[in-house]
Amino acid sequence: MIVETKNLRNVVLLGHPGSGKTSLAETMLYESKAISRHGDVESGTTVSDFTNIEKERKNSIFSSMMHDKWKDSKINIIDTPGFDDFVGEVISSLKVADTAAMILNAKSGVEVGTEILWDYIDQLQTPTMFVVNQVDSEKSNFQQTLEQAQARFGNKVLPVQYPLNEGAGFNKIVDALRMVMYVFPEGGGKPTKEEIPDSEKDKAMDMHNALVEAAAENEEGLMEKFFEEGTLSEDDLAAGLRIAMVNHEIYPVFCVSAIKNMGTGRVMGFINDICPSPADRPPAKLEDGGELVCDDKDKTTIFIFKTMSEPKVGNVSYFKVYSGRLNAGAELVNADTGATERFGQIFVVNGRDRDAVEGLNAGDIGATVKLKNTHTNNTLNEKGVNRKIEKMHFPEPRVRQAVVAGGKNEVEKMMKGLHQIEEEDPTLKVEQSAALKQTILHGQGQLHLDLVKYRLEKVYSVNMDFVKPKIAYRETITKMAETSYRHKKQSGGSGQFAEVHMRIEPYHEGMPDPASLTVRDKEIIDLPWEGKLAFYWCIVGGSIDSKYKNAIKKGIMQKMEEGILTGSYIQDVRVSIYDGKMHSVDSNDMAFMIASGTGFKQAFNQAGPQILEPIYDLEILCADDVMGDVMGDLQTRRAIIQGMDSDGHYQKIMAKVPHAELYQYSSTLRSLTQGKAKFSRKFAEYSAVPHDIQKKLIEEQNEE
Ligand SMILES: Nc1nc2c(ncn2[C@@H]2O[C@H](COP(=O)(O)OP(=O)(O)OP(=O)(O)O)[C@@H](O)[C@H]2O)c(=O)[nH]1
Ligand SMILES: [Mg+2]
């Protein structure tokens, strides 16, 4: 049966690791009878965490799609991993969700993960509800969690419920929207409804009025009705709350115990009654600045938000229908690659399981297999339509490792596997670095990279190892030097002869022409590895024929590419060729290349050679109580603190840190702060390495 757009609810579960997203998804499926057996994370039996690595680690690593039915609605549930290493999965899930359920752990309140995720929600303005989970645990503190959320996200955070008998004996929820108390049986499940006890009535009524007011404020006409009648009808209230959620004017708060299955049904009831359908959201943005309304009567447009390969099946492409209807057997044209793709089978998904359906309406989420040339972030349209849904943007990598294959004959297999994983995961980059002569894997954290290794070994049967990645140093000079070099070789018949005199200086933009030389010609060359070579031709009286100019330049460029101190690229040098000698028979291009290259090396060594290192801008977000440890650790990394900012219970530290000091920073930070810190980094500039480090680097190079 094809579900109507108005009855669709796309809900993404977000939250700090361990808050209970996967457990809640399982309980939602169980409570709605989509599954008959209630699995759990501890024994690796949930629908959501279905891959071996997730079962092993007892953490989600991939987002997973599920769906169930609750009253009139089909609820598409997307469970996401909490670890920041897998933020790509969060970004793609949020792209297609119409409600975000932010899971808070009642034991720990607002956590770093909550903060980070909020930024993504804020960017997309996804309607959001908070679900405070684990109110059955001994250390649960609902009130404190609520207050933290209000302190951090403002007074739009409005409780709909609160628990009674919080902790091990938790069994009651006071619901201020329905003005009723739910009392749960021993093992959880369907509660009985009871009247709110007198002792709680005032508190519940105050909460109720706050909700009614928030609803009335957001819908024209409702405020008037509210003043006239002193309350709102159930339908008016629902409509007002829905609009308030869509406008980010209210973030309702619920409390549950996912493990004990208490409160989940009510959360799904709220999703059914109040949460927006895809058609209640503002139109989707298109790449060309246009908009697309979610309308099942319009032409068909779908967007691929995730691709995952499965053994024996190949790529599984997950999509959302943005408009029209997608029927099995339909042909759509990929607006990004031009490929015409046939959707032979369309599936709805429950974790590992896929069920074929005849079609999906605008707003719905599904999967297909066997597309030929379609990737994540592509839009496909019915023939004659050329829309492109605004693409998802993924963060730059934060960590890197060099990789080597287990054996020589495994290199090709390893690269194939890496590229396949890269295709699935837009937050991962594989780079064959010519400068470093290494294959570098860039990712979001060490865990992210470890997972690539695990998958290569288990899925692609290739052994690989991580080795320390080299640093992309650069070399330059700090003062002027002059040399003359003669290359001369006499071997039997014709010999080789070339002599070149040059002056070299540190290059910077806008510097005056070289003093006391006559500039005949100059060229500022943008080097392929960034930085410049300023090449000046200052030959007077024809001591070197200008036909050798290119060979001389080539000889210098070659040395700049090879590097002189550490085998790193040389940059920002001005070379002025001002004299030399040639021989009518023995001079040729090769001789001049050798003379200029060797002469350049001599001059370079006399010109105060300097190694430059890449510096990164680091931004760290950490909890108050680990701030001292984070700062102390930064001091051991030659960091220069640029500033600090406090943001709620969190501190933001901005620092400049040499790339060489960031090796395995993500793991160190995680263990140093017990996961209470996150960081991002961005290349900032090249800067001179300190004298002692330069000495060490040159010694290392000589040993090699
Ligand atoms: N007491 C109690 N424990 C819970 C509850 N919900 C989840 N847990 C436990 O908390 C742990 C983490 O639960 P998950 O459901 O895996 O948490 P998650 O948010 O999916 O974690 P990530 O996938 O790592 O982001 C597991 O050991 C669960 O058994 C709850 O309501 N009460
Ligand atoms: Mg999980």
Side-chain angles (χ1 to χ4, degrees), residues 15-24 40-42 46 49 58-61 79-83 103 105 107 133-138 256-261:
H16 192 82
S19 48
K21 301 173 288 297
T22 301
S23 306
L24 182 64
D40 62 79
V41 174
E42 291 307 315
T46 58
D49 285 356
K58 303 190 201 310
N59 278 117
S60 305
I61 283 169
D79 180 25
T80 62
F83 271 119
I103 317 303
N105 186 339
K107 291 185 293 194
N133 185 31
Q134 313 209 15
V135 288
D136 63 292
S137 70
E138 280 304 342
V256 300
S257 162
I259 285 284
K260 293 198 164 168
N261 186 13

Side-chain angles (χ1 to χ4, degrees), residues 407-475:
K408 267 218 173 86
N409 41 14
E410 285 190 295
V411 176
E412 207 177 305
K413 231 166 128 191
M414 177 184 84
M415 289 315 293
K416 197 171 157 237
L418 286 178
H419 286 305
Q420 175 66 44
I421 298 175
E422 188 185 26
E423 155 86 24
E424 285 173 31
D425 182 349
T427 61
L428 190 80
K429 297 253 153 30
V430 181
E431 178 204 6
Q432 300 259 35
S433 170
L436 307 180
K437 296 180 188 69
Q438 287 182 317
T439 301
I440 309 278
L441 200 57
H442 300 267
Q444 298 298 324
Q446 188 55 42
L447 187 60
H448 190 203
L449 301 185
D450 286 345
L451 185 77
V452 174
K453 180 174 155 72
Y454 176 97
R455 290 180 71 195
L456 273 183
E457 288 172 357
K458 297 275 154 123
V459 183
Y460 298 87
S461 316
V462 208
N463 291 309
M464 59 149 273
D465 280 308
F466 289 124
V467 292
K468 192 170 175 175
K470 293 184 192 149
I471 301 290
Y473 292 108
R474 296 280 192 266
E475 302 176 8

